[in-house]
Amino acid sequence: MTSEAHGGRPEPVPGEPGPTLYDAVGGMPFFERLVDRFYEGVAADPVLLRLYPEPDDLAGARRRLTLFLAQYWGGATTYSDERGHPRLRARHFPFVIGPTERDRWLVHMREAIAHVDPPPAIAARLQAYFEMAAEAMRNQD
Ligand code: HEM
């Protein structure tokens, strides 16, 4: 494999961290496509839409999730530059998130992952993360 396969970065050195997931998926466009598709699902889901402060304009929410995910998986820190420490659980306290909302969220994200169709190992890492994180956001029985 040439260094081009890593987007021009050096070969991974054994014992040192390899390319981030952000790099492996080709950076920002992947997260934009993922979150665009996810929000198409949210926009058509009354159960989720009623939680959103601005249900008629999801552009801000879409941008915040895109930047957060890019940062989380190793991309630029624009999210924290703009919003401060993620504190995601605290930021979700204002929204009633029970098992139904959590599961609807995951349905749309699962569908979005299938749509962008990353390599299976990447899809599995994303899926595991979202399942853990969506449960962490749940604040109702
Ligand atoms: C899987 C884990 C989740 C992640 C990584 C995530 C991520 C985020 C992020 C980054 C924001 C913007 C925070 C900010 O900067 O203000 C946000 C907002 C929001 N999230 Fe989540 N979230 C998750 C789960 C959920 C779930 C399960 C629900 C409800 C079903 C939900 C509903 C909302 C709502 C209503 C907002 C406000 C939209 C806005 O930013 O204007 N989230 N989420």
Side-chain angles (χ1 to χ4, degrees), residues 8-134:
R9 291 181 183 226
E11 288 294 311
V13 176
E16 290 189 6
T20 63
L21 184 142
Y22 179 89
D23 290 326
V25 297
M28 206 56 181
F30 174 87
F31 293 96
E32 288 168 346
R33 287 193 296 129
L34 180 73
V35 174
D36 279 355
R37 183 67 176 207
F38 170 74
Y39 268 110
E40 280 178 29
V42 172
D45 187 332
V47 172
L48 293 184
L49 214 47
R50 69 183 178 207
L51 299 175
Y52 279 77
E54 293 185 82
D56 297 329
D57 183 7
L58 296 171
R62 186 184 303 229
R63 174 175 160 79
R64 289 186 279 278
L65 181 57
T66 304
L67 291 177
F68 170 79
L69 291 176
Q71 172 176 314
Y72 180 86
W73 290 105
T77 59
T78 314
Y79 176 84
S80 283
D81 296 344
E82 292 186 0
R83 305 287 291 165
H85 191 283
R87 299 184 304 109
L88 279 194
R89 192 168 152 69
R91 287 193 205 268
H92 287 77
F93 284 155
F95 317 122
V96 175
I97 303 177
T100 305
E101 289 77 13
R102 175 200 63 197
D103 290 347
R104 296 303 306 160
W105 198 105
L106 285 171
V107 162
H108 298 301
M109 189 52 83
R110 221 171 271 134
E111 202 280 323
I113 293 172
H115 177 74
V116 298
D117 196 23
I122 299 243
R125 282 176 70 190
L126 291 170
Q127 186 59 42
Y129 165 73
F130 286 127
E131 281 171 20
M132 176 278 293

Side-chain angles (χ1 to χ4, degrees), residues 2-10 19 23 26:
T2 69
S3 64
E4 298 311 309
H6 299 288
R9 291 181 183 226
D23 290 326

